[in-house]
Amino acid sequence: MFDNNNNNNDSIGEESIPEFFKTFDNALKKGINPGYFDVDELSEIAEIYFSEGKMNEGKYTVNYALKIYPDNEDLIYELLLLLNDFELWNDLLALCEKYHSLKYVWIDGHKLTALLHLGMEEDAFYHFRKSKTKYAGNKEDLSIIYQAMAEALYEIDLYEASIEVIDEIISIIGEDTDLLWLKLQSFSAIEDKENVIEIGLKIQNRNPMDADTWSRLGDTYKDIGELDRAIDAYEFAQSLGLKDSNNLMNLIYAYEKNENYSKALQKAEEFLSEYPGSYLVNLLAINICTQMENWEKGLIFVENAIKLEPQSESLYLYKCRFYLNLGEYKKAIKVLQEGIGKTKDTLGELKEQLDKLRKEYPE
């Protein structure tokens, strides 16, 4: 509930900016009152400003929205999430303090997060104790408070403390999937493979046919270096119908790191059949073919990559190398000539290699 969505650096393209944002922004630039906007529009305006790094404008929008709708609980909820997502901890704490009388669990949860991120650990643990008493009669709200505390402790690298908080709530309400995931991420952070695997088994047994669960487990296993388990999890996610480029990309990386180059290449070809414009995966395939010494197939991916990035000097060197390994010396020389003509050859590597080959294989 209180996860940081990591959207801070995402830029919004001009074509996707709504007209109501442009109207609001123009008013700000002219120094006039922006006028009326509904709740959803104001939330989106603030998010666009924050995502573009315009923090002052975003904060102005937050204050403007609350001035128009001071008691709109949906707006308050959304704005707290925004301030959390963009790590504006002082503003988040101030807003929580302003609306503490509403007595919603999510306000107390955000306050815990803000206090911990601001280094106010003593205040955070005091507020945590108060909140535990406050929500003692409501298991759902109590769980939310514990989750907020555990997530925030994890985010400030207090992994063992986060695990202790989760163990405490599990002793009260029992295990559930969200709590297990929180515990898993902390054990993963401290590279406790035994506990990661144990909890991972519990999670997969709770959601055996959920593709997203398997893909997420694959990420965790990959992070702790359990490549065989990661591959199995990613493959199972795919077999359950997950159509996700990241899952497929992770399979390429995992197979390559595991030195199973034939499977890595198979997954790269599968990826490119779905996303032929991926320059990165063509590069991965080139490297895999190099490891396999599969020069003929490697040339296919080099050609693809050159079509996507014709100015890349290194690609012509790859292509030259592959032709040389196939004994095609004239073609290798021709590739270098082509590369010099299409690129600036800034480092002079293409010309250097061309001169070398001309000496070795004079026509």
Side-chain angles (χ1 to χ4, degrees):
M1 177 180 178
F2 301 100
D3 283 342
N4 186 326
N5 292 330
N6 296 320
N7 291 329
N8 310 46
N9 298 320
D10 291 347
S11 231
I12 297 177
E14 181 69 27
E15 67 281 355
S16 63
I17 294 177
E19 285 300 319
F20 59 79
F21 173 83
K22 295 175 183 177
T23 302
F24 189 97
D25 190 50
N26 286 333
L28 251 63
K29 289 174 179 175
K30 293 176 181 177
I32 61 177
N33 189 301
Y36 174 80
F37 294 83
D38 67 33
V39 167
D40 291 338
E41 289 173 338
L42 288 168
S43 294
E44 189 171 348
I45 290 167
E47 182 175 9
I48 292 172
Y49 277 133
F50 288 142
S51 65
E52 294 291 342
K54 298 177 179 178
M55 298 302 165
N56 290 334
E57 291 88 340
K59 291 177 184 181
Y60 174 87
T61 307
V62 168
N63 292 328
Y64 185 80
L66 293 172
K67 188 179 296 183
I68 299 177
Y69 304 102
D71 302 315
N72 189 297
E73 293 167 9
D74 290 336
L75 176 65
I76 296 166
Y77 179 86
E78 291 299 326
L79 294 180
L80 286 172
L81 280 177
L82 270 181
L83 294 174
N84 190 329
D85 288 347
F86 289 93
E87 301 181 1
L88 297 167
W89 308 122
N90 283 306
D91 300 273
L92 179 63
L93 180 58
L95 197 57
C96 289
E97 296 286 9
K98 180 176 181 179
Y99 288 101
H100 74 278
S101 60
L102 292 181
K103 298 180 181 178
Y104 283 112
V105 66
W106 36 270
I107 294 177
D108 287 313
H110 281 299
K111 183 175 179 179
L112 281 173
T113 301
L115 288 169
L116 284 170
H117 279 281
L118 290 169
M120 303 168 67
E121 292 181 17
E122 188 174 333
D123 292 327
F125 278 97
Y126 174 72
H127 183 62
F128 183 47
R129 289 193 295 272
K130 283 180 59 180
S131 297
K132 288 195 289 186
T133 302
K134 181 178 179 180
Y135 298 106
N138 185 320
K139 286 188 175 182
E140 183 178 345
D141 286 352
L142 189 63
S143 178
I144 289 172
I145 283 295
Y146 272 90
Q147 287 182 56
M149 188 67 172
E151 286 180 17
L153 288 168
Y154 169 82
E155 288 167 1
I156 62 171
D157 302 336
L158 294 177
Y159 306 121
E160 292 182 358
S162 179
I163 292 167
E164 288 177 10
V165 167
I166 293 299
D167 283 339
E168 185 175 320
I169 187 60
I170 285 175
S171 71
I172 298 170
I173 68 171
E175 290 181 339
D176 69 26
T177 303
D178 289 338
L179 296 175
L180 288 173
W181 274 118
L182 283 172
K183 197 172 177 182
L184 181 76
Q185 69 181 7
S186 286
F187 276 125
S188 176
I190 60 177
E191 298 183 357
D192 185 335
K193 292 187 179 184
E194 185 177 344
N195 275 303
V196 168
I197 292 168
E198 180 183 336
I199 297 170
L201 288 171
K202 288 182 179 181
I203 291 172
Q204 71 186 48
N205 289 336
R206 285 171 172 267
N207 303 279
M209 303 305 291
D210 182 73
D212 289 328
T213 293
W214 283 101
S215 184
R216 191 175 171 189
L217 283 171
D219 292 341
T220 304
Y221 294 141
K222 176 171 65 71
D223 288 343
I224 62 169
E226 287 287 322
L227 291 178
D228 289 336
R229 290 180 184 275
I231 288 168
D232 288 343
Y234 290 135
E235 287 282 17
F236 200 51
Q238 197 173 17
S239 72
L240 289 171
L242 183 65
K243 303 292 184 183
D244 180 75
S245 60
N246 288 328
N247 190 79
L248 196 48
M249 180 75 81
N250 283 326
L251 268 173
I252 300 170
Y253 280 121
Y255 275 127
E256 183 182 20
K257 195 168 183 179
N258 223 19
E259 298 185 0
N260 190 339
Y261 299 121
S262 60
K263 289 293 292 185
L265 186 59
Q266 177 188 325
K267 292 300 175 181
E269 290 178 313
E270 188 177 332
F271 190 104
L272 291 170
S273 70
E274 293 287 330
Y275 313 99
S278 174
Y279 180 67
L280 173 60
V281 175
N282 275 293
L283 289 184
L284 287 172
I286 291 168
N287 184 61
I288 294 165
C289 287
T290 301
Q291 296 292 336
M292 298 174 69
E293 298 186 358
N294 189 339
W295 314 117
E296 288 187 7
K297 182 158 282 189
L299 282 169
I300 297 172
F301 300 113
V302 175
E303 289 285 5
N304 292 341
I306 287 174
K307 288 176 184 175
L308 295 168
E309 295 286 343
Q311 298 299 313
S312 175
E313 297 160 14
S314 62
L315 292 176
Y316 297 95
L317 290 171
Y318 267 118
K319 192 173 179 182
C320 170
R321 178 186 174 189
F322 286 8
Y323 273 131
L324 287 175
N325 279 290
L326 289 168
E328 300 278 2
Y329 308 115
K330 290 184 178 180
K331 289 183 179 180
I333 290 171
K334 187 177 179 181
V335 164
L336 294 172
Q337 292 171 330
E338 177 190 353
I340 291 169
K342 289 187 176 180
T343 73
K344 295 179 180 179
D345 191 20
T346 52
L347 300 176
E349 291 181 345
L350 296 177
K351 186 178 184 306
E352 181 183 344
Q353 182 66 13
L354 179 60
D355 291 342
K356 181 180 176 182
L357 289 184
R358 280 175 168 166
K359 287 179 183 178
E360 288 185 26
Y361 308 104
E363 296 183 15

